[in-house]
Amino acid sequence: MKHKILQYDPYLKPYEKDFDLRAERLKNKLQELLPQGQSLWDFANGYEYFGLHQTPDGWYYREWAPGAEAMYLTGDFCGWDRHAYPMEKLENGVFSLFIPGKDTLQNGMKVLTVVVHEGQELERIPLYANYVVQEKDSVEWNAVIHTAEAYPWTDEGFKPKSKLYIYECHIGMAQEEGKVGSYREFMENTLPRIKKLGYTAIQIMAIMEHPYYASFGYQVTNFFAPSSRFGTPEELKALIDRAHKLGIAVLLDVVHSHACKNTREGINQFDGTDYQFFHAGGQGEHPAWNTKCFNYDKNEVIHFLLSNLKYWMTQFHFDGFRFDGVTSMLYHDHGLGTAFMGYDQYFSMNTDVEAVTYLQLANLMVRQGNPKAITIAEDTSALPGLALPVKDGGVGFTYRLAMGEPDMWIKLLKEVSDDNWNMDYIYYELSTRRPKEPVIGYCESHDQALVGDKTIMFRMCDSEMYWSMNRDNDSPIIDRAMALHKMIRLVTLSLGGEGYLNFMGNEFGHPEWIDFPREGNGWSYHYCRRQWHLADDKNLKYQYLNRFDKDMIALSKRLRVLGKTDRQLYISNDQKIMAFRKGEGVFLFNFHPTWSQDGLEIPMPEAGTYRVCFTSDDFDYGGHGRVYHQDYETHTRADGTPVLQIYLPCRTAVVLQKV
């Protein structure tokens, strides 16, 4: 069978012709794009040709703007004379300009492009601008000339760890003060925390320049410019270099699913048309996000986006990407209101086959540049093959996000009382995968930390967090919340994926929410920060959750949990008990709110002695100390099954390791 995906999932056999078409489209697109012998990595060099480039004799500036009748470069260097530097129109919509004199343009100078379309002169920021700054006390942004000496990288030979424990983060919010944090502050203050907790990768949001801070970086205007509100490009490089020195991989939250509608500072209508990068008319409008949708069938668009990925890999040493909004890319209706209950919905007229081809190209190109690069797909539709190699009929991502897991937890916490939680349902939701497709498990997303929603901890505690997180304060609400917070994290990490993700601050139950500065809150940064001091305060209970997270990750590494096949041992919905083997550990969970199990018999994978090596009920984690770190001997049932008798308190997780 030529498509291995059909072997992995026989239910896909009726759609063999769709996979044939997928392979044929990719083959044809590669032939269109690449001359004989060229690779996608060689092809994706747009940033080396287009944009502003200094030479010993002067400066070259080039743009692709097929809808423009004429173009000019203006700025500080010419007193903002709009017509002093006209560009020459070449073939295929390319414009070019040579400016004599190496020092004609200098660092810090502001520049803009003037595009003439249908007789109108339009101000635009260069498409490949590498540094874009907002004017003080103004809504306007300008490109800034930014050249620098080659950065002195010290990370040669760095490779990401094979097991991913991802710390999702936002540079601007990663500090205590009511302000926008910087790359340097993150490097000096936050990276050491992440290293100490044991995470092996960071996934950074909001790096690609975006004018609206509250968009979380998901409305990009300048695809080649790291956000200037956090500092300079060199400071971002220093952050990544330091992370690599600490053994931490760095992933970019890349947004190729849509783009900001802004025209002056964005790529929308750069050449005066609405179809340069995007679909024309209504097809180019995202109805839910009020953004523009790319035309992935256009070779110039593919060149722009692939060049963008290569740029971040080569110039900034990113180790891979988390692709945002993949569902929106895959379907013409962007997956809005679609439940995806049957395979027919993945192979229909609604599927954007051009987007599928682009994502295959992106994954192939990224691997050509770095075989160890990581790509993660954010997709709610569960498209078959998304995280399978392209050669097997897949789309090529390394992982897909297990987006159903946080939905499950929030649904249980909102709608189901603790004593009605279904253990079979939880086990199934956490352990079920598409065949051969690795996932990144997580129990809450960054969206749940925003105003209008609640994190797991805040949902369980609400205002009680303000009064009862003191170490000496007894509160049944806080007691329940801390117990479930730990259990949910441990069961999700151990069972829910081949990798694990946590959003910044949630590991210690960060209170309240994220609220970006806006008119409704008086443009305050009070809720747009992380209160690290709470986790450091020895008088508060946040320290217990922080310590639990650190030790949980260390345990997972020690027992080699990630990437191993789970084996269900015992499930009881009446008792609210779940037990399974994963890696070298046997994981026991008692989710019952009141029923502690004495003499509970659990079938074991093999006979022998098992030692308690971890429990969520330890005093060090804010528990009640009801579990002793001791050894247990199995005995054998009449049917030959080795079983172990153990005391398993309510709302407690226990991990055993065979001695």
Side-chain angles (χ1 to χ4, degrees):
M1 195 175 294
K2 58 184 175 181
H3 305 300
K4 282 189 178 179
I5 189 173
L6 305 181
Q7 298 174 23
Y8 302 151
D9 187 353
Y11 290 105
L12 289 171
K13 188 69 173 77
Y15 306 97
E16 184 170 6
K17 289 186 178 179
D18 293 278
F19 287 99
D20 290 341
L21 177 62
R22 180 183 290 184
E24 186 67 21
R25 289 191 59 84
L26 177 63
K27 177 183 174 183
N28 292 341
K29 184 57 72 174
L30 286 168
Q31 289 174 348
E32 281 181 37
L33 298 175
L34 306 179
Q36 191 68 29
Q38 191 183 45
S39 68
L40 282 168
W41 188 256
D42 297 329
F43 167 78
N45 60 0
Y47 63 93
E48 295 178 345
Y49 178 78
F50 292 111
L52 280 155
H53 296 280
Q54 189 179 35
T55 71
D57 303 321
W59 290 77
Y60 278 98
Y61 174 48
R62 303 182 188 93
E63 292 284 13
W64 172 68
E69 294 144 18
M71 291 181 67
Y72 304 86
L73 183 67
T74 187
D76 290 341
F77 71 102
C78 63
W80 295 99
D81 184 335
R82 295 170 73 93
H83 304 116
Y85 285 87
M87 302 178 70
E88 179 185 1
K89 189 171 186 178
L90 308 177
E91 295 179 350
N92 303 317
V94 174
F95 287 79
S96 181
L97 168 67
F98 177 71
I99 304 173
K102 181 180 179 181
D103 297 324
T104 307
L105 299 180
Q106 298 180 14
N107 275 345
M109 286 184 170
K110 297 168 187 172
V111 295
L112 279 176
T113 305
V114 178
V115 176
V116 181
H117 175 73
E118 295 183 350
Q120 286 189 306
E121 293 189 352
L122 311 170
E123 289 186 346
R124 298 288 187 261
I125 285 179
L127 289 174
Y128 289 81
N130 65 356
Y131 196 51
V132 179
V133 174
Q134 185 175 15
E135 297 301 309
K136 190 175 181 180
D137 300 323
S138 171
V139 296
E140 287 193 347
W141 293 68
N142 285 311
V144 175
I145 300 297
H146 188 86
T147 60
E149 299 295 326
Y151 183 81
W153 292 98
T154 63
D155 63 351
E156 185 177 357
F158 174 80
K159 294 178 182 177
K161 299 283 194 302
S162 60
K163 305 305 178 189
L164 286 183
Y165 299 86
I166 303 172
Y167 199 83
E168 186 182 21
C169 49
H170 183 288
I171 301 297
M173 298 190 315
Q175 37 66 46
E176 291 251 2
E177 295 181 59
K179 64 171 189 175
V180 177
S182 69
Y183 297 123
R184 186 165 296 280
E185 287 171 318
F186 187 94
M187 177 181 73
E188 293 175 352
N189 302 326
T190 311
L191 267 182
R193 287 182 173 273
I194 298 168
K195 173 66 175 177
K196 187 175 181 180
L197 287 169
Y199 288 88
T200 61
I202 55 175
Q203 179 180 298
I204 313 183
M205 311 169 70
I207 289 297
M208 302 160 78
E209 192 60 89
H210 51 289
Y212 183 43
Y213 190 45
S215 77
F216 245 144
Y218 292 128
Q219 294 200 8
V220 175
T221 46
N222 312 107
F223 283 74
F224 293 82
S227 183
S228 61
R229 53 168 60 89
F230 308 137
T232 66
E234 286 68 42
E235 288 169 332
L236 174 58
K237 291 176 182 178
L239 186 164
I240 295 170
D241 202 31
R242 178 74 62 84
H244 287 166
K245 189 173 184 179
L246 295 173
I248 297 172
V250 187
L251 308 179
L252 174 66
D253 202 344
V254 74
V255 186
H256 283 182
S257 47
H258 61 130
C260 183
K261 271 190 170 180
N262 294 20
T263 53
R264 184 185 181 277
E265 62 267 23
I267 68 172
N268 184 27
Q269 298 182 28
F270 179 82
D271 69 350
T273 69
D274 67 346
Y275 52 82
Q276 181 183 3
F277 287 98
F278 312 111
H279 290 289
Q283 191 180 355
E285 305 285 330
H286 197 294
W289 299 340
N290 193 31
T291 51
K292 301 296 293 184
C293 301
F294 285 103
N295 181 352
Y296 300 106
D297 194 39
K298 209 168 186 177
N299 291 348
E300 293 86 354
V301 173
I302 293 173
H303 185 240
F304 180 82
L305 295 176
L306 292 183
S307 297
N308 189 233
L309 297 175
K310 182 177 176 179
Y311 171 79
W312 292 110
M313 292 175 70
T314 58
Q315 304 303 301
F316 290 88
H317 291 202
F318 277 99
D319 301 294
F321 305 94
R322 179 263 202 187
F323 280 71
D324 176 69
V326 168
T327 308
S328 178
M329 301 171 71
L330 292 174
Y331 307 99
H332 293 300
D333 67 357
H334 310 296
L336 299 172
T338 304
F340 295 100
M341 300 299 291
Y343 279 16
D344 284 348
Q345 291 168 289
Y346 301 120
F347 307 99
S348 68
M349 297 298 291
N350 185 38
T351 304
D352 190 335
V353 293
E354 287 86 7
V356 174
T357 301
Y358 166 68
L359 290 171
Q360 289 180 305
L361 292 169
N363 279 294
L364 287 172
M365 193 277 298
V366 166
R367 298 294 184 283
Q368 288 175 7
N370 178 5
K372 298 292 185 182
I374 300 154
T375 56
I376 303 170
E378 188 220 22
D379 169 47
T380 59
S381 77
L383 178 80
L386 197 62
L388 280 177
V390 172
K391 64 181 176 62
D392 295 342
V395 181
F397 285 96
T398 319
Y399 301 92
R400 62 195 316 154
L401 280 176
M403 300 188 71
E405 294 177 6
D407 290 344
M408 176 195 70
W409 288 122
I410 216 68
K411 180 181 176 67
L412 287 174
L413 290 168
K414 285 173 66 174
E415 301 175 9
V416 184
S417 64
D418 298 10
D419 51 4
N420 284 324
W421 283 14
N422 186 304
M423 298 295 104
D424 288 301
Y425 166 68
I426 293 173
Y427 191 92
Y428 177 83
E429 288 295 316
L430 291 177
S431 62
T432 304
R433 317 267 193 276
R434 285 214 176 274
K436 306 288 187 180
E437 298 196 49
V439 303
I440 300 293
Y442 62 122
C443 48
E444 53 189 333
S445 71
H446 59 250
D447 290 330
Q448 288 164 240
L450 291 168
V451 164
D453 207 338
K454 296 177 182 178
T455 62
I456 284 175
M457 189 65 179
F458 199 42
R459 184 169 295 282
M460 292 190 288
C461 299
D462 277 324
S463 61
E464 191 77 5
M465 291 188 83
Y466 298 121
W467 320 113
S468 302
M469 286 300 282
N470 188 285
R471 191 178 64 180
D472 300 323
N473 194 324
D474 290 327
S475 163
I477 293 175
I478 297 297
D479 198 39
R480 168 186 179 262
M482 289 183 62
L484 289 178
H485 184 275
K486 291 178 287 186
M487 294 180 73
I488 287 170
R489 274 166 162 68
L490 181 59
V491 74
T492 302
L493 186 155
S494 55
L495 195 59
E498 286 64 47
Y500 176 72
L501 179 141
N502 166 66
F503 177 68
M504 178 175 70
N506 285 353
E507 70 277 3
F508 66 84
H510 196 289
E512 299 175 327
W513 46 72
I514 298 164
D515 191 8
F516 283 89
R518 56 186 173 86
E519 188 174 1
N521 64 17
W523 303 104
S524 170
Y525 287 88
H526 180 72
Y527 294 109
C528 199
R529 59 194 177 104
R530 298 282 88 179
Q531 300 181 61
W532 305 111
H533 74 277
L534 297 175
D536 299 338
D537 194 327
K538 301 304 181 186
N539 295 311
L540 299 178
K541 296 178 181 178
Y542 297 102
Q543 63 174 310
Y544 300 136
L545 300 180
N546 196 66
R547 189 179 301 130
F548 177 85
D549 198 75
K550 173 179 176 291
D551 291 352
M552 174 184 72
I553 289 174
L555 173 86
S556 176
K557 292 176 181 178
R558 190 169 73 249
L559 299 183
R560 295 184 282 196
V561 169
L562 292 186
K564 301 298 183 181
T565 303
D566 60 283
R567 176 180 168 184
Q568 182 178 316
L569 300 175
Y570 181 82
I571 286 183
S572 169
N573 282 310
D574 291 334
Q575 297 168 305
K576 305 303 170 201
I577 303 292
M578 181 191 305
F580 55 88
R581 183 183 70 181
K582 192 79 184 296
E584 298 174 13
V586 174
F587 293 79
L588 314 178
F589 294 86
N590 182 353
F591 279 97
H592 202 284
T594 58
W595 189 5
S596 296
Q597 296 287 327
D598 196 5
L600 178 69
E601 277 200 351
I602 300 290
M604 288 288 108
E606 52 187 313
T609 303
Y610 289 82
R611 177 170 298 161
V612 174
C613 60
F614 189 73
T615 169
S616 63
D617 199 49
D618 274 359
F619 291 122
D620 281 350
Y621 309 135
H624 301 288
R626 294 169 294 174
V627 178
Y628 295 108
H629 287 252
Q630 66 183 61
D631 292 351
Y632 291 88
E633 291 283 345
T634 61
H635 66 271
T636 305
R637 286 179 180 164
D639 63 1
T641 303
V643 295
L644 179 147
Q645 281 190 324
I646 191 171
Y647 174 59
L648 189 59
C650 59
R651 286 189 180 140
T652 295
V654 172
V655 184
L656 305 170
Q657 185 176 18
K658 192 169 186 290
V659 177

